[in-house]
Amino acid sequence: DNFPHLPRLKTLMLSRNKINELGSLSNSLPNLQSLVLIDNDLTNLDSIDVLGELFQLTRLSLLKNALMNEKNARLYIIHKIPQLRVLNFQRVKLKERNEAKALYGESKRPTKRSREEQTSATSNGSVKQSAKRARLTEDEQAKIATAIANAKSMEEVQRLEAALRG
């Protein structure tokens, strides 16, 4: 919680610091990719939930923390931080991802892909409209352009635009 805004920080090593809880780091460390928390006092799996807000986090080490002794700890962490590639110096396998999904359900957190779609949706209108525009043939586009050019009133232009939107 008390970190200054460090957008360029990619790796943070906090081993043997007697850390027993994690505050929100997403605003302070938005580009953190690797976090090492070996041999601290983290005892509850729920304490790592906030790490799911670190969308760039791909490497995490929690060895020698009591929470790693809890049943299905590795699967829980994979579920909460779906973009992780390496956990405790071991690559996260597809089989583990599937097991985590089966045990805990789908992650409610948006994936990188869905965030990119939302970004393009806000900058280009909507994904649905973009898809519709892409489906129009050249002939249809020419007909609509002609109809708009020949429109005699603003109401007619608005009607044509509404028809385009579906």
Side-chain angles (χ1 to χ4, degrees):
D1 272 341
N2 294 326
F3 278 100
H5 184 65
L6 301 169
R8 292 175 47 192
L9 186 70
K10 305 261 187 223
T11 300
L12 186 57
M13 297 180 150
L14 295 171
S15 297
R16 296 186 194 109
N17 277 287
K18 298 182 181 179
I19 296 170
N20 58 13
E21 70 178 64
L22 300 170
S24 179
L25 301 171
S26 59
N27 291 330
S28 304
L29 309 170
N31 296 310
L32 190 67
Q33 295 174 355
S34 182
L35 180 60
V36 178
L37 291 165
I38 297 172
D39 200 12
N40 279 292
D41 295 332
L42 297 169
T43 57
N44 189 346
L45 275 175
D46 293 339
S47 64
I48 64 101
D49 288 359
V50 296
L51 297 179
E53 299 169 4
L54 296 169
F55 297 125
Q56 304 298 319
L57 188 66
T58 56
R59 292 178 205 90
L60 176 64
S61 183
L62 295 165
L63 294 169
K64 296 186 179 178
N65 280 286
L67 65 80
M68 290 309 297
N69 297 329
E70 289 191 35
K71 185 178 180 183
N72 297 319
R74 185 172 172 86
L75 296 178
Y76 181 83
I77 294 166
I78 292 168
H79 168 72
K80 286 296 182 178
I81 313 168
Q83 75 277 10
L84 271 184
R85 293 184 181 169
V86 178
L87 176 58
N88 294 335
F89 304 106
Q90 293 181 341
R91 188 164 201 76
V92 175
K93 297 181 174 96
L94 180 60
K95 179 181 176 185
E96 292 174 308
R97 291 188 193 285
N98 291 337
E99 286 178 38
K101 192 182 294 185
L103 191 60
Y104 298 105
E106 286 285 332
S107 177
K108 291 184 176 119
R109 202 185 109 217
T111 61
K112 181 179 179 182
R113 185 178 205 181
S114 66
R115 284 195 308 277
E116 287 172 354
E117 287 173 356
Q118 287 174 344
T119 303
S120 70
T122 55
S123 62
N124 296 335
S126 77
V127 174
K128 191 175 182 180
Q129 287 176 350
S130 297
K132 279 187 179 179
R133 281 189 209 122
R135 284 189 231 142
L136 290 176
T137 65
E138 288 181 26
D139 186 45
E140 291 171 325
Q141 290 174 353
K143 286 180 183 176
I144 292 170
T146 303
I148 291 173
N150 293 332
K152 297 199 177 1
S153 69
M154 190 59 165
E155 292 165 353
E156 195 173 347
V157 171
Q158 289 171 344
R159 183 184 54 77
L160 289 168
E161 287 176 345
L164 269 177
R165 289 188 200 113

